[in-house]
């Protein structure tokens, strides 16, 4: 035969390409790089009868099987890499929890008196009309309060004891959070809209922790819209899950930062403006509630946080509220 095996394979590939699906065709393109394997199966058939329908069918079946195997190998590799990343993350979070548990008491002994004395100095200086001292004391108070908040969030993240879960209405908690933050929304000229499902949205949760998560997410949205914008909150419920979406029209998040958003101490805010713990703690809380929190964003294209929680199957609803 005058044509080489490689040329025959190219002819065969063109012939098969019309009968393969797009995904199979893409995978088969890689098959051409594995010609040695394909040659061992097709060599005799191509020499004896290149137009034989049976040989052609065998080649097509082999190509599809090989393409399927390659796709499965790629998927297995992707899942392995994802599992490895999750293990690294879990180890990192466990380390943070251990550190927080070890230093929480000592930090509390330092921060609490500092905060108390700074408040006393501020009150005394204000009474004496000493504005410079009062201003310094106020700055110390604000710094100590940030340290206290950071400590509280670290301790919350390090907790392992079981929580007392209650049946709560997600829609009501979110509405309360937006009412609480309404002055800040108005000050930054952000228009907030709420879209709630007519289906009740009960979940078993610690209401204070769920409120903390919603506050963290909404505050992030507010920070992303310094020049105003639109905040849209929607809550949907089905028989299995309650899904909360918080969408903003802000500056968005660079692609390279999205994978790090829920890591401890990671922040894109200016130095001193954020602890980098809000979303980390939020992720921990949602995880303890058996849910998931995800983010979808692009730079200058806004951000959407999606929180999914298991619906409380033991709770029913009538016009008087929840009941078991």
């Amino acid at each position: 035969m005058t044509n080489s095996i490689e040329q025959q394979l190219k002819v065969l590939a063109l012939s098969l390409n019309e009968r393969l699906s797009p995904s199979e065709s893409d995978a088969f393109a890689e098959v051409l790089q594995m010609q040695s394997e394909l040659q061992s199966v097709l060599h005799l058939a191509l020499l004896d009868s290149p137009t034989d329908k049976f040989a052609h069918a065998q080649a097509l079946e082999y190509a599809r099987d090989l393409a399927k195997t390659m796709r499965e190998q790629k998927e297995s590799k992707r899942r392995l890499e994802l599992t490895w990343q999750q293990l690294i993350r879990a180890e990192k979070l466990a380390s943070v929890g251990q550190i927080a548990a070890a230093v929480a008491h000592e930090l509390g002994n330092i921060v609490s008196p500092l905060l108390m004395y700074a408040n006393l100095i501020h009150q005394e200086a204000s009474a004496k009309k000493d504005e410079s001292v009062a201003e310094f004391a106020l700055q110390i108070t604000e710094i100590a309060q940030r340290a206290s908040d950071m400590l509280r969030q670290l301790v919350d993240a390090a907790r392992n004891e079981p929580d007392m879960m209650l049946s709560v209405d997600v829609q009501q908690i979110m509405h309360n959070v937006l009412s609480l933050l309404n002055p800040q929304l108005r000050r930054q000229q952000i228009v907030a809209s709420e879209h709630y499902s007519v289906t009740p949205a009960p979940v078993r949760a610690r209401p204070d922790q769920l409120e903390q998560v919603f506050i963290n997410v909404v505050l992030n949205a507010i920070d992303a819209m310094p020049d105003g914008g639109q905040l849209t909150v929607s809550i949907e419920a089905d028989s299995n899950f309650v899904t909360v979406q918080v969408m903003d029209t802000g500056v968005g998040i660079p692609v390279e930062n999205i994978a790090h958003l829920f890591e401890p101490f990671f922040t894109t805010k200016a130095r001193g403006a954020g602890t980098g713990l809000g979303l980390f703690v939020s992720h921990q809380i949602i995880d303890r509630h058996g849910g998931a929190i995800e983010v979808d964003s692009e730079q200058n294209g806004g951000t959407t946080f999606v929180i999914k929680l298991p619906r409380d199957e033991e709770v029913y609803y009538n016009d008087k509220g929840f009941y078991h």
Side-chain angles (χ1 to χ4, degrees):
M1 182 174 287
T2 56
N3 291 334
S4 67
I5 293 295
E6 288 80 7
Q7 290 173 325
Q8 294 175 29
L9 286 173
K10 290 180 181 179
V11 173
L12 177 63
L14 291 174
S15 174
L16 296 179
N17 193 50
E18 297 178 354
R19 301 175 60 183
L20 294 172
S21 68
S23 59
E24 290 171 335
S25 180
D26 290 341
F28 190 65
E30 299 183 22
V31 173
L32 293 178
Q33 314 223 345
M34 305 168 65
Q35 291 178 359
S36 59
E37 293 184 31
L38 195 55
Q39 286 172 16
S40 64
V41 176
L42 299 178
H43 181 65
L44 292 176
L46 287 171
L47 288 176
D48 296 339
S49 181
T51 60
D52 184 75
K53 292 183 179 180
F54 179 72
H56 195 277
Q58 281 188 320
L60 179 62
E61 182 179 359
Y62 179 82
R64 282 180 168 157
D65 288 344
L66 191 55
K68 179 181 178 182
T69 299
M70 294 178 69
R71 287 199 304 271
E72 290 174 347
Q73 289 177 345
K74 283 186 177 180
E75 179 63 17
S76 296
K77 183 179 178 181
R78 187 190 68 82
R79 290 181 180 179
L80 183 62
E81 289 177 350
L82 180 60
T83 301
W84 179 248
Q85 291 173 2
Q86 290 173 339
L87 286 172
I88 293 175
R89 174 180 171 78
E91 183 179 353
K92 192 181 295 185
L93 298 188
S95 298
V96 171
Q98 293 170 0
I99 293 171
V103 304
H105 181 69
E106 294 301 324
L107 282 176
N109 287 340
I110 295 172
V111 172
S112 295
L114 179 63
L115 189 57
M116 181 183 67
Y117 286 124
N119 277 321
L120 289 174
I121 294 172
H122 180 263
Q123 292 174 8
E124 185 174 346
S126 297
K128 294 180 178 180
K129 308 296 183 183
D130 191 337
E131 296 182 0
S132 60
V133 174
E135 178 63 24
F136 286 134
L138 183 60
Q139 292 180 14
I140 295 173
T141 301
E142 291 175 351
I143 293 171
Q145 187 62 57
R146 283 205 301 270
S148 179
D149 291 343
M150 181 184 295
L151 174 61
R152 177 182 57 79
Q153 292 183 32
L154 274 173
V155 172
D156 286 345
R159 278 186 188 150
N160 287 319
E161 70 270 16
D163 293 322
M164 294 296 294
M165 301 290 188
L166 304 174
S167 294
V168 297
D169 183 359
V170 175
Q171 297 175 352
Q172 186 61 52
I173 293 178
M174 178 59 81
H175 180 74
N176 292 343
V177 166
L178 292 176
S179 297
L180 176 68
L181 298 177
N182 186 56
Q184 192 167 347
L185 290 166
R186 294 177 61 184
R187 186 165 56 250
Q188 290 193 210
Q189 298 182 334
I190 297 173
V191 179
S193 59
E194 302 172 62
H195 305 277
Y196 297 153
S197 169
V198 294
T199 305
V203 300
R204 293 196 69 78
R206 278 275 303 271
D208 59 326
Q209 291 187 355
L210 211 54
E211 183 180 78
Q212 182 183 355
V213 171
F214 292 164
I215 288 175
N216 285 337
V217 172
V218 173
L219 284 177
N220 271 276
I222 291 174
D223 290 340
M225 297 183 285
D227 299 321
Q230 178 76 37
L231 177 69
T232 305
V233 176
S234 64
I235 299 177
E236 295 290 337
D238 57 30
S239 58
N240 297 315
F241 295 98
V242 174
T243 303
V244 180
Q245 284 194 335
V246 179
M247 297 171 282
D248 67 61
T249 57
V251 296
I253 303 169
V255 175
E256 62 270 18
N257 290 340
I258 290 180
H260 305 289
L261 283 183
F262 300 110
E263 293 180 359
F265 305 111
F266 179 81
T267 180
T268 58
K269 298 176 183 177
R271 186 178 182 86
T275 63
L277 289 171
L279 291 179
F280 164 67
V281 172
S282 296
H283 185 279
Q284 295 289 91
I285 291 173
I286 295 300
D287 187 62
R288 284 202 297 268
H289 283 73
I293 178 170
E294 299 175 346
V295 61
D296 181 28
S297 181
E298 60 181 71
Q299 199 160 11
N300 301 317
T303 299
T304 299
F305 278 91
V306 179
I307 300 169
K308 184 171 285 191
L309 293 163
R311 194 172 187 272
D312 189 354
E313 298 177 353
E314 298 180 2
V315 173
Y316 302 90
Y317 186 83
N318 62 13
D319 56 359
K320 296 181 181 179
F322 294 119
Y323 69 95
H324 290 268

